Amino acid sequence: LNELMDGEGGVVGLAREGFSVTGVDPSRDMVKIAGDHAAKYPGGLPVQYQARTVEEVTSQFDIVVSSEVVEHVPCVPTFCQTVFRQGQAGRGIMFTTINRTLQSWFFGILVAEHLTGLVPPGTHDYHKFVPPSILAGLISDAGFEIVQQTGLNYNPVTKQWSISPNMSINYVITAIKTDQTWE
């Protein structure tokens, strides 16, 4: 399968599973870091990194993943429309992002940015966090059938992510493109 990853999160994992992955990020520095990380794997990985925005990508893909990007864009509906156009009919999209709750502010900004330094201060703006109901509405309105909504938990000790029924901080929505009008 041919996959577009926006935001670089999870590119290596998917490539290791045999996906042919195109990873895009507007930051040349992030693309270099991602490429250096992927190069550490014996035999290489089927990943093509590009320093560009998702809006600049004109191809269509079997799977389009937007990982931890939605909470950083200036206009969520416009960004989502771009992602929707890049998915092929009968194939999937996946968004991971941060919910807008007191817990997400506490862990995503206070703890991650200011107490532990997990991410640089100022990385997140609480007002740009997107509740699952808003993102799910945009996805459904665009002719996609939502197949899963679930929470994601990060364990800073093990540095591992896990699936959870708790969507109060991070969450993932996966959907299948059913409406042919977007092609």
Side-chain angles (χ1 to χ4, degrees):
L1 291 175
N2 188 20
E3 177 172 8
L4 173 67
M5 286 287 300
D6 182 30
E8 303 304 326
V11 169
V12 168
L14 292 165
R16 289 176 65 194
E17 293 297 319
F19 289 89
S20 174
V21 180
T22 300
V24 299
D25 195 293
S27 166
R28 289 191 187 283
D29 291 341
M30 291 304 294
V31 168
K32 175 156 179 16
I33 291 168
D36 291 347
H37 179 71
K40 293 178 183 176
Y41 288 86
L45 294 171
V47 178
Q48 176 189 6
Y49 289 104
Q50 300 176 4
R52 60 170 55 192
T53 67
V54 70
E55 292 84 2
E56 295 171 323
V57 177
T58 58
S59 303
Q60 283 194 317
F61 296 84
D62 297 315
I63 301 170
V64 180
V65 178
S66 173
S67 184
E68 304 302 313
V69 176
V70 174
E71 68 273 16
H72 300 287
V73 300
C75 182
V76 172
T78 300
F79 174 78
C80 287
Q81 291 300 324
T82 300
V83 171
F84 299 153
R85 280 191 296 275
Q86 292 165 336
Q88 295 182 19
R91 301 301 183 148
I93 60 167
M94 181 174 85
F95 289 91
T96 67
T97 192
I98 303 175
N99 198 349
R100 190 181 319 135
T101 63
L102 180 59
Q103 295 96 328
S104 66
W105 173 83
F106 182 80
F107 288 105
I109 295 177
L110 184 65
V111 172
E113 293 185 18
H114 300 286
L115 298 180
T116 65
L118 208 58
V119 295
T123 297
H124 297 110
D125 176 348
Y126 174 77
H127 300 290
K128 288 187 172 183
F129 291 174
V130 181
S133 59
I134 303 253
L135 187 55
L138 291 167
I139 293 168
S140 295
D141 290 348
F144 286 81
E145 177 185 343
I146 294 175
V147 295
Q148 182 181 34
Q149 295 184 66
T150 191
L152 295 171
N153 288 341
Y154 181 71
N155 182 329
V157 175
T158 63
K159 298 181 180 178
Q160 297 290 314
W161 287 92
S162 62
I163 302 283
S164 165
N166 181 354
M167 295 175 61
S168 65
I169 303 172
N170 294 81
Y171 66 94
V172 59
I173 297 179
T174 55
I176 301 294
K177 188 173 191 175
T178 57
D179 185 330
Q180 302 292 323
T181 63
W182 287 100
E183 292 190 29

Coordinates of all heavy atoms in Angstrom, one line a residue, residues 55-108:
E55 N -0.5 20.4 1.7 CA -1.3 21.1 0.6 C -0.5 21.0 -0.7 O -1.1 21.1 -1.8 CB -1.6 22.5 1.0 CG -2.5 22.7 2.1 CD -1.9 22.5 3.5 OE1 -0.7 22.4 3.6 OE2 -2.6 22.6 4.5
E56 N 0.8 20.9 -0.7 CA 1.6 20.8 -1.9 C 1.7 19.4 -2.5 O 2.2 19.3 -3.6 CB 3.1 21.3 -1.5 CG 3.1 22.8 -1.1 CD 4.5 23.2 -0.6 OE1 5.1 22.3 0.1 OE2 4.9 24.3 -0.9
V57 N 1.2 18.4 -1.8 CA 1.2 17.1 -2.4 C 0.0 16.9 -3.3 O -1.1 17.2 -2.9 CB 1.1 16.1 -1.2 CG1 1.1 14.6 -1.8 CG2 2.3 16.2 -0.3
T58 N 0.2 16.5 -4.5 CA -0.8 16.4 -5.5 C -1.3 14.9 -5.8 O -2.3 14.7 -6.4 CB -0.4 17.0 -6.8 OG1 0.8 16.4 -7.3 CG2 -0.2 18.5 -6.7
S59 N -0.5 13.9 -5.3 CA -0.8 12.5 -5.5 C -2.0 12.1 -4.6 O -2.3 12.7 -3.6 CB 0.4 11.7 -5.3 OG 1.5 12.1 -6.0
Q60 N -2.6 11.0 -5.0 CA -3.6 10.3 -4.1 C -2.9 9.1 -3.6 O -2.0 8.5 -4.2 CB -4.8 9.9 -4.9 CG -5.7 11.1 -5.1 CD -7.1 10.6 -5.5 OE1 -7.3 9.7 -6.3 NE2 -8.1 11.3 -5.0
F61 N -3.3 8.7 -2.4 CA -2.7 7.6 -1.6 C -3.8 6.6 -1.1 O -4.9 6.9 -1.0 CB -1.9 8.1 -0.4 CG -0.8 9.0 -0.9 CD1 -1.0 10.3 -1.2 CD2 0.5 8.5 -1.0 CE1 0.1 11.2 -1.6 CE2 1.6 9.3 -1.4 CZ 1.4 10.6 -1.7
D62 N -3.3 5.4 -0.9 CA -4.2 4.3 -0.3 C -4.6 4.7 1.1 O -5.7 4.5 1.5 CB -3.5 3.0 -0.3 CG -3.1 2.5 -1.7 OD1 -4.0 2.6 -2.6 OD2 -2.0 2.0 -1.9
I63 N -3.7 5.2 1.9 CA -3.9 5.6 3.2 C -3.3 7.0 3.5 O -2.1 7.2 3.0 CB -3.3 4.6 4.2 CG1 -3.9 3.2 4.0 CG2 -3.5 5.0 5.7 CD1 -3.2 2.1 4.8
V64 N -4.0 7.9 4.1 CA -3.5 9.2 4.4 C -3.5 9.3 6.0 O -4.6 9.2 6.6 CB -4.2 10.3 3.8 CG1 -3.6 11.7 4.2 CG2 -4.2 10.2 2.3
V65 N -2.4 9.6 6.6 CA -2.3 9.7 8.0 C -1.8 11.1 8.4 O -0.8 11.5 7.9 CB -1.3 8.6 8.7 CG1 -1.2 8.8 10.2 CG2 -1.8 7.2 8.3
S66 N -2.6 11.8 9.2 CA -2.2 13.1 9.7 C -2.0 12.9 11.2 O -2.9 12.8 12.0 CB -3.3 14.1 9.5 OG -3.0 15.3 10.1
S67 N -0.7 12.8 11.6 CA -0.4 12.5 13.0 C 0.1 13.7 13.7 O 1.2 14.2 13.4 CB 0.7 11.4 13.0 OG 1.0 10.9 14.3
E68 N -0.6 14.1 14.7 CA -0.3 15.2 15.6 C 0.0 16.5 14.8 O 0.9 17.2 15.0 CB 0.9 14.9 16.5 CG 0.7 13.6 17.3 CD -0.5 13.7 18.2 OE1 -0.7 14.7 18.9 OE2 -1.3 12.7 18.2
V69 N -0.9 16.8 13.8 CA -0.8 18.0 13.0 C -2.0 18.9 13.1 O -1.9 20.1 13.2 CB -0.6 17.6 11.5 CG1 -0.6 18.8 10.6 CG2 0.6 16.8 11.2
V70 N -3.2 18.3 13.2 CA -4.4 19.1 13.3 C -4.4 20.2 14.3 O -4.9 21.3 14.0 CB -5.6 18.1 13.5 CG1 -6.9 18.9 13.7 CG2 -5.8 17.1 12.3
E71 N -3.8 19.9 15.5 CA -3.8 20.9 16.5 C -2.8 22.0 16.3 O -2.7 22.9 17.1 CB -3.5 20.2 17.9 CG -2.1 19.7 18.0 CD -1.9 18.3 17.5 OE1 -2.7 17.8 16.8 OE2 -0.8 17.7 17.9
H72 N -2.1 22.0 15.1 CA -1.2 23.1 14.8 C -1.6 24.0 13.6 O -1.0 25.0 13.3 CB 0.2 22.5 14.5 CG 0.8 21.8 15.7 ND1 1.2 22.4 16.8 CD2 0.9 20.4 15.9 CE1 1.6 21.5 17.7 NE2 1.5 20.3 17.2
V73 N -2.6 23.6 12.9 CA -3.0 24.3 11.6 C -3.9 25.5 11.9 O -4.7 25.5 12.9 CB -3.7 23.3 10.6 CG1 -2.8 22.2 10.3 CG2 -5.0 22.8 11.1
P74 N -3.8 26.5 11.1 CA -4.7 27.7 11.3 C -6.2 27.5 11.1 O -7.0 28.1 11.7 CB -4.1 28.7 10.4 CG -3.3 28.0 9.4 CD -2.9 26.7 10.0
C75 N -6.5 26.6 10.2 CA -7.9 26.4 9.8 C -8.2 24.9 9.6 O -7.8 24.3 8.6 CB -8.3 27.1 8.5 SG -10.0 26.9 8.1
V76 N -8.7 24.2 10.7 CA -8.9 22.8 10.6 C -9.8 22.3 9.5 O -9.4 21.4 8.8 CB -9.5 22.3 12.0 CG1 -9.8 20.8 11.9 CG2 -8.4 22.5 13.1
P77 N -10.9 22.9 9.2 CA -11.7 22.4 8.0 C -11.0 22.5 6.7 O -11.1 21.5 5.9 CB -12.9 23.4 8.0 CG -13.1 23.8 9.5 CD -11.6 24.0 9.9
T78 N -10.2 23.6 6.5 CA -9.5 23.7 5.2 C -8.4 22.6 5.1 O -8.2 21.9 4.1 CB -8.9 25.1 5.1 OG1 -9.9 26.0 5.1 CG2 -8.1 25.2 3.8
F79 N -7.7 22.4 6.2 CA -6.6 21.4 6.2 C -7.2 20.0 6.0 O -6.7 19.2 5.2 CB -5.9 21.4 7.6 CG -4.9 20.3 7.7 CD1 -3.7 20.3 7.1 CD2 -5.3 19.2 8.5 CE1 -2.8 19.2 7.2 CE2 -4.4 18.1 8.6 CZ -3.2 18.1 8.0
C80 N -8.4 19.7 6.7 CA -9.0 18.4 6.5 C -9.5 18.2 5.1 O -9.3 17.1 4.5 CB -10.2 18.3 7.5 SG -9.6 18.0 9.2
Q81 N -10.0 19.2 4.4 CA -10.4 19.1 3.0 C -9.2 18.6 2.1 O -9.4 17.8 1.2 CB -11.0 20.4 2.5 CG -12.3 20.7 3.1 CD -13.4 19.7 2.9 OE1 -13.4 19.0 1.8 NE2 -14.2 19.4 3.9
T82 N -8.0 19.2 2.4 CA -6.8 18.8 1.7 C -6.5 17.3 1.9 O -6.2 16.6 1.0 CB -5.6 19.7 2.1 OG1 -6.0 21.0 1.8 CG2 -4.4 19.3 1.4
V83 N -6.6 16.9 3.1 CA -6.3 15.5 3.5 C -7.3 14.6 2.8 O -7.0 13.6 2.2 CB -6.3 15.3 5.0 CG1 -6.3 13.8 5.4 CG2 -5.1 16.0 5.6
F84 N -8.6 15.0 2.8 CA -9.6 14.2 2.2 C -9.4 14.0 0.7 O -9.6 12.9 0.2 CB -11.0 14.8 2.4 CG -11.4 15.0 3.9 CD1 -12.3 16.0 4.2 CD2 -10.9 14.1 4.9 CE1 -12.7 16.2 5.5 CE2 -11.3 14.3 6.2 CZ -12.2 15.3 6.5
R85 N -9.0 15.0 0.0 CA -8.7 14.9 -1.4 C -7.6 13.9 -1.8 O -7.5 13.4 -2.9 CB -8.4 16.3 -2.0 CG -9.7 17.1 -2.2 CD -9.4 18.3 -3.1 NE -8.4 19.3 -2.4 CZ -8.8 20.2 -1.6 NH1 -10.0 20.4 -1.2 NH2 -7.9 21.0 -1.0
Q86 N -6.7 13.7 -0.8 CA -5.6 12.8 -1.1 C -5.8 11.3 -0.9 O -5.0 10.5 -1.2 CB -4.4 13.3 -0.3 CG -3.9 14.6 -0.8 CD -3.0 15.3 0.2 OE1 -3.0 15.1 1.4 NE2 -2.2 16.2 -0.4
G87 N -7.0 11.0 -0.3 CA -7.3 9.6 -0.1 C -8.1 9.1 -1.3 O -8.9 9.8 -1.9
Q88 N -7.8 7.8 -1.6 CA -8.5 7.2 -2.7 C -9.8 6.5 -2.2 O -9.9 6.1 -1.1 CB -7.6 6.1 -3.3 CG -6.4 6.6 -4.0 CD -5.6 5.5 -4.6 OE1 -6.1 4.4 -4.9 NE2 -4.3 5.8 -4.9
A89 N -10.8 6.4 -3.1 CA -12.1 5.8 -2.7 C -11.8 4.4 -2.3 O -11.0 3.7 -2.8 CB -13.0 5.8 -3.9
G90 N -12.5 4.0 -1.2 CA -12.4 2.6 -0.7 C -11.2 2.5 0.2 O -11.0 1.4 0.7
R91 N -10.5 3.5 0.4 CA -9.2 3.4 1.2 C -9.4 4.3 2.5 O -10.5 4.9 2.7 CB -8.0 3.9 0.4 CG -7.8 3.1 -0.8 CD -7.5 1.6 -0.5 NE -7.2 0.9 -1.7 CZ -6.4 -0.1 -1.7 NH1 -5.9 -0.6 -0.7 NH2 -6.2 -0.7 -2.9
G92 N -8.4 4.4 3.3 CA -8.5 5.0 4.6 C -7.8 6.3 4.9 O -6.8 6.6 4.2
I93 N -8.3 7.0 5.9 CA -7.6 8.1 6.5 C -7.5 7.9 8.0 O -8.3 7.1 8.6 CB -8.3 9.4 6.2 CG1 -9.7 9.4 6.8 CG2 -8.3 9.8 4.7 CD1 -10.3 10.8 6.8
M94 N -6.5 8.5 8.6 CA -6.4 8.4 10.1 C -5.8 9.8 10.6 O -4.9 10.3 10.0 CB -5.4 7.3 10.4 CG -5.2 7.2 11.9 SD -4.2 5.7 12.4 CE -2.6 6.4 12.3
F95 N -6.5 10.3 11.6 CA -6.0 11.5 12.3 C -5.7 11.1 13.7 O -6.4 10.4 14.4 CB -7.1 12.5 12.3 CG -7.4 13.2 11.0 CD1 -8.4 12.6 10.2 CD2 -6.8 14.3 10.6 CE1 -8.7 13.2 9.0 CE2 -7.1 14.9 9.4 CZ -8.1 14.4 8.6
T96 N -4.5 11.6 14.2 CA -4.3 11.6 15.6 C -4.1 13.0 16.0 O -3.4 13.8 15.3 CB -3.0 10.8 16.0 OG1 -1.8 11.4 15.5 CG2 -3.1 9.3 15.5
T97 N -4.7 13.4 17.2 CA -4.6 14.8 17.6 C -4.9 14.8 19.1 O -5.0 13.8 19.8 CB -5.5 15.7 16.8 OG1 -5.2 17.0 17.0 CG2 -7.0 15.4 17.0
I98 N -5.0 16.1 19.6 CA -5.2 16.3 21.0 C -6.6 16.9 21.2 O -7.0 17.8 20.6 CB -4.2 17.2 21.6 CG1 -2.8 16.7 21.3 CG2 -4.4 17.5 23.1 CD1 -1.6 17.6 21.7
N99 N -7.4 16.3 22.2 CA -8.7 16.8 22.6 C -8.6 18.1 23.3 O -7.5 18.4 23.8 CB -9.4 15.7 23.4 CG -10.8 15.9 23.6 OD1 -11.4 16.9 23.2 ND2 -11.5 14.9 24.1
R100 N -9.6 18.9 23.4 CA -9.6 20.1 24.1 C -10.4 19.9 25.4 O -11.6 20.1 25.6 CB -10.3 21.2 23.3 CG -10.1 22.6 24.0 CD -10.8 23.8 23.2 NE -10.7 23.7 21.8 CZ -11.7 23.9 21.0 NH1 -12.9 24.2 21.4 NH2 -11.5 23.8 19.7
T101 N -9.6 19.5 26.4 CA -10.1 19.2 27.8 C -9.2 19.8 28.8 O -8.0 20.1 28.5 CB -10.3 17.7 28.0 OG1 -9.0 17.1 28.0 CG2 -11.2 17.0 27.0
L102 N -9.6 19.8 30.0 CA -8.7 20.2 31.1 C -7.5 19.3 31.2 O -6.4 19.7 31.5 CB -9.5 20.3 32.5 CG -8.7 20.7 33.7 CD1 -8.1 22.1 33.5 CD2 -9.6 20.7 34.9
Q103 N -7.8 17.9 31.1 CA -6.7 17.0 31.1 C -5.7 17.2 30.0 O -4.5 17.1 30.3 CB -7.2 15.5 31.0 CG -8.1 15.1 32.1 CD -9.6 15.3 31.8 OE1 -10.0 16.2 31.1 NE2 -10.4 14.5 32.4
S104 N -6.1 17.5 28.8 CA -5.1 17.7 27.7 C -4.3 19.0 28.0 O -3.1 19.0 27.6 CB -5.8 17.8 26.4 OG -6.7 18.9 26.3
W105 N -4.9 20.0 28.5 CA -4.2 21.2 28.9 C -3.1 20.9 29.9 O -1.9 21.2 29.8 CB -5.1 22.3 29.4 CG -4.3 23.5 29.9 CD1 -3.7 24.5 29.2 CD2 -3.8 23.7 31.3 NE1 -3.0 25.3 30.0 CE2 -3.0 24.8 31.3 CE3 -4.0 23.0 32.5 CZ2 -2.5 25.3 32.5 CZ3 -3.5 23.5 33.6 CH2 -2.7 24.6 33.6
F106 N -3.5 20.1 31.0 CA -2.6 19.8 32.1 C -1.5 18.9 31.6 O -0.3 19.3 31.8 CB -3.4 19.0 33.2 CG -2.6 18.7 34.4 CD1 -2.3 19.6 35.3 CD2 -2.0 17.4 34.5 CE1 -1.4 19.3 36.4 CE2 -1.2 17.1 35.6 CZ -0.9 18.0 36.5
F107 N -1.8 17.8 30.9 CA -0.7 16.9 30.4 C 0.0 17.4 29.2 O 1.2 17.2 29.0 CB -1.2 15.5 30.3 CG -1.5 14.8 31.6 CD1 -2.8 14.7 32.0 CD2 -0.5 14.4 32.4 CE1 -3.1 14.1 33.2 CE2 -0.8 13.8 33.6 CZ -2.1 13.6 34.0
G108 N -0.7 17.9 28.2 CA -0.1 18.3 26.9 C 0.6 19.6 26.9 O 1.6 19.8 26.2

